[in-house]
Amino acid sequence: MTGKNFWSWLAVTLGALYFLLPLIGMFEFSLRMQRDGYSFEAYRVVLADPQFQQTFGYSVVLALLTIVLGILLVVPAAYFVRLRFPGLRPIVEFITLLPLVIPPIVIVFGYIRIYNTSSILPLTGSWWGTNILLLFGYATLSLPYMYRSVDTGLRSIDIASLTEAAQSLGAGGARILGTVILPNVFASVLSGAFLTFAIVIGEYVFAALLNVNSFGPYMVWMGGNRAYEPSALAVVAFAITWACMGLMQLFTRFSKFSTARR
Amino acid sequence: MTTNALSLPAALRPRQVLSWFGVVPFFLFALLFLILPTLDIVLGAVQDTEGRATLENLGKLFSPSIRSAFWISIELSLLTAVLGCVFGFFIAAAVTLGGLPRFLRAALLTFSGVASNFAGVPLAFAFIATLGRLGLVTMLLRNWFDINLYGAGFNIVSFLGLALTYLYFQIPLMVLIITPALEGLRREWREAAESLGASGFQYWRLVALPVLWPSLLGTLALLFANAFGAVATAIALTGSSLSIAPIVLFAQIRGDVLNDPHLGYAIAFAMILLTAVANGIYILLRMRAERWVK
């Protein structure tokens, strides 16, 4: 073994130790609920908890709606900017970068100030309003990821020719977007969608400050009140993140494959 | 006089007008849910309750408790950014240049993608289960090596504990960003340096690091901003007992009936300022770095 190899193995081994120990610790702890040995008791308790089912179901629905809203906002915008307003591109790119620059806690603070009960648009005053505000907030958080993946997808297809071909066959704007462009960039849209899903499922700050009982605040509440269940929840959350990233990579690879074949 | 479509200004031709319908919703959305809320914070920070311009709110940032919260936040973000950069660099260098099997590189990048998105509440639970009072590592050290971490003054609910936890998403982010830059180092540069008689150290000091430094410094700035905005991990870990800037703002927003909302504006404004500067540095240096990585 050469000297260079030794140092590389050392760096990777120490890194692996640091990254694996918390995962092992979290999993081991989640199994310790019953005193007489390891069991999946904590998982059973958590999964059977009606509040878990309610908050988790809520977050899943919200994540799916966020993805739909994100697609409706980003795909037409990215398409028309590429096709007709190339001058707007830097502006759109700047806007989609902003949610990474401005801390989410500041954005939600702005929402509470602008849309509170004494404002012109009192969204925080009603149940529906709050949910819509949260949905729009999550769509904002997902803008950077959605835009980037849609834009990458659009770059790999010839949208000008596709659009002209569709127009010469008599298709209108909405039809072109829905039946020609979207299917062509669907794989890249999905990779943005999975990242959005992973982000929305565990999000805490927006939900907590808008007083919405989603999965994030439920996890924090569990963390303050129970011993073993939080670890079980963390394992579940990690599994979801892992699944989303895995699917994302799969679809990214798939979209590369489909463009390579053209 | 014939006014056919082509003689109109480009933006007003029928087809273009139709195109605006695709773009307008996006801009309207961004205006309502991103730009106006942020603008409201910035303006609120420099106005009093009657809407007159004042610097009084920003002056409140220098009260001892707020100043110390910001200071701890800056220290925490800087420390985890520097350590994240150093460790992330070594790990990325080990798998890209260190002659390790190729599957390790793919595995590491996939894992980094997952880990950099594993921040937030679950990450805090993972560290409590590992280094908390009854955590796996705490117990192993006590039972096997007779080392009492908590007796020695360690606590997961502390600056050090928070820093250890933050590194879990800082290092992977560094790995994700620096790996392409390391792969951009061309083999010919090293061969050229060696054929001119340079040692490995000289190659790094005179060739590789000058090419890499915009990426390295830019990522440092990005990691700083990343740590500075993190709230959920800190709250889930410490239960808001450690006074860092985002937690103070969180408490301020929660209790804004009792507290002064304009102090909240000022804290939020200062946070935007710090993260915007850090991100600005990142974007500028990244543009410089891309000259080499092509």
Side-chain angles (χ1 to χ4, degrees):
Chain A
M1 191 186 278
T2 65
K4 191 169 128 192
N5 248 329
F6 168 77
W7 289 110
S8 305
W9 278 112
L10 186 74
V12 169
T13 312
L14 286 180
L17 209 61
Y18 171 75
F19 283 104
L20 290 180
L21 273 177
L23 299 183
I24 298 168
M26 160 177 93
F27 186 59
E28 196 260 0
F29 204 78
S30 73
L31 300 177
R32 290 213 312 232
M33 195 167 182
Q34 279 176 338
R35 289 193 181 279
D36 50 344
Y38 288 143
S39 72
F40 285 98
E41 180 66 10
Y43 294 86
R44 199 192 58 73
V45 172
V46 160
L47 294 179
D49 182 0
Q51 250 201 297
F52 164 81
Q53 296 163 0
Q54 196 201 329
T55 57
F56 188 73
Y58 175 88
S59 283
V60 168
V61 172
L62 201 60
L64 296 178
L65 289 175
T66 305
I67 291 167
V68 172
L69 179 62
I71 291 174
L72 287 179
L73 282 171
V74 167
V75 173
Y79 165 75
F80 281 116
V81 165
R82 254 190 186 273
L83 193 64
R84 304 245 185 266
F85 313 110
L88 287 179
R89 260 195 84 170
I91 304 174
V92 173
E93 265 176 13
F94 177 74
I95 289 175
T96 56
L97 270 179
L98 279 179
L100 297 178
V101 175
I102 307 163
I105 189 171
V106 174
I107 298 178
V108 70
F109 185 31
Y111 286 3
I112 293 171
R113 286 282 140 209
I114 289 196
Y115 302 111
N116 62 21
T117 42
S118 56
S119 68
I120 311 166
L121 195 61
L123 284 176
T124 60
S126 65
W127 184 84
W128 272 109
T130 310
N131 281 296
I132 287 170
L133 193 56
L134 190 61
L135 172 64
F136 283 20
Y138 286 162
T140 307
L141 289 189
S142 73
L143 268 188
Y145 312 102
M146 270 296 182
Y147 179 77
R148 204 110 326 133
S149 35
V150 171
D151 198 50
T152 315
L154 286 175
R155 192 186 308 154
S156 67
I157 59 174
D158 185 355
I159 52 173
S161 307
L162 282 176
T163 307
E164 271 168 32
Q167 272 170 343
S168 71
L169 292 171
R175 201 181 158 89
I176 296 176
L177 270 175
T179 60
V180 178
I181 300 298
L182 190 60
N184 266 299
V185 294
F186 201 63
S188 6
V189 169
L190 272 182
S191 76
F194 285 118
L195 198 53
T196 304
F197 190 85
I199 290 168
V200 172
I201 283 292
E203 204 284 331
Y204 171 69
V205 176
F206 269 67
L209 289 174
L210 291 173
N211 290 319
V212 174
N213 274 324
S214 66
F215 189 49
Y218 170 76
M219 279 197 286
V220 170
W221 180 85
M222 269 291 191
N225 291 285
R226 303 286 174 82
Y228 302 101
E229 288 91 334
S231 290
L233 283 175
V235 172
V236 172
F238 186 73
I240 293 171
T241 315
W242 188 258
C244 283
M245 295 301 126
L247 288 169
M248 204 179 100
Q249 295 229 326
L250 198 72
F251 279 102
T252 314
R253 211 165 289 166
F254 178 68
S255 68
K256 271 184 198 144
F257 175 67
S258 65
T259 53
R261 243 186 1 176
R262 268 188 336 116
Chain B
M1 203 163 97
T2 53
T3 50
N4 64 22
L6 286 173
S7 69
L8 287 165
L12 290 175
R13 278 177 218 153
R15 194 184 277 182
Q16 294 287 73
V17 172
L18 206 71
S19 310
W20 282 106
F21 284 103
V23 190
V24 164
F26 170 83
F27 280 107
L28 201 65
F29 175 84
L31 188 72
L32 281 176
F33 295 98
L34 185 58
I35 294 165
L36 282 182
T38 314
L39 217 57
D40 182 69
I41 300 284
V42 174
L43 291 178
V46 292
Q47 285 176 344
D48 62 13
T49 38
E50 268 86 55
R52 283 183 300 251
T54 174
L55 288 177
E56 199 188 324
N57 305 315
L58 296 180
K60 286 176 189 157
L61 288 175
F62 294 95
S63 72
S65 64
I66 304 290
R67 208 172 48 186
S68 89
F70 265 95
W71 193 234
I72 295 174
S73 261
I74 290 171
E75 280 180 332
L76 181 67
S77 309
L78 209 56
L79 178 74
T80 59
V82 170
L83 292 180
C85 271
V86 171
F87 293 135
F89 180 82
F90 281 128
I91 294 174
V95 288
T96 48
L97 313 167
L100 295 181
R102 263 196 90 71
F103 74 88
L104 264 181
R105 200 188 135 267
L108 180 82
L109 284 180
T110 310
F111 180 78
S112 296
V114 179
S116 59
N117 282 296
F118 185 54
V121 182
L123 179 63
F125 292 164
F127 268 84
I128 292 170
T130 309
L131 284 163
R133 266 174 209 286
L134 292 171
L136 182 70
V137 171
T138 317
M139 298 303 260
L140 284 184
L141 286 176
R142 192 162 69 195
N143 297 340
W144 292 3
F145 303 102
D146 207 27
I147 299 171
N148 187 347
L149 274 184
Y150 277 71
F154 176 80
N155 194 337
I156 191 72
V157 188
S158 67
F159 183 86
L160 186 65
L162 211 53
L164 265 176
T165 312
Y166 276 25
L167 280 176
Y168 203 89
F169 56 76
Q170 297 280 63
I171 296 174
L173 191 57
M174 172 70 176
V175 170
L176 282 182
I177 296 176
I178 208 69
T179 301
L182 284 171
E183 281 172 343
L185 292 177
R186 293 199 205 122
R187 188 185 293 272
E188 300 93 75
W189 296 346
R190 172 146 218 162
E191 283 163 359
E194 274 165 3
S195 72
L196 292 171
S199 65
F201 176 73
Q202 278 173 322
Y203 161 73
W204 274 101
R205 191 170 66 87
L206 297 170
V207 180
L209 282 180
V211 170
L212 286 177
W213 80 260
S215 306
L216 289 173
L217 276 185
T219 315
L220 184 77
L222 184 75
L223 293 191
F224 177 86
N226 192 38
F228 200 82
V231 191
T233 312
I235 288 183
L237 194 68
T238 68
S240 67
S241 66
L242 196 74
S243 190
I244 59 175
I247 287 187
V248 171
L249 179 59
F250 189 89
Q252 190 75 25
I253 301 172
R254 267 267 160 104
D256 67 357
V257 188
L258 304 168
N259 293 315
D260 173 9
H262 283 264
L263 177 60
Y265 281 135
I267 298 173
F269 176 71
M271 282 183 70
I272 300 179
L273 208 64
L274 277 163
T275 50
V277 167
N279 276 293
I281 294 174
Y282 169 66
I283 292 166
L284 278 179
L285 289 174
R286 186 168 181 126
M287 279 173 1
R288 284 197 64 152
E290 269 163 10
R291 280 192 319 197
W292 296 100
V293 186
K294 276 233 170 104

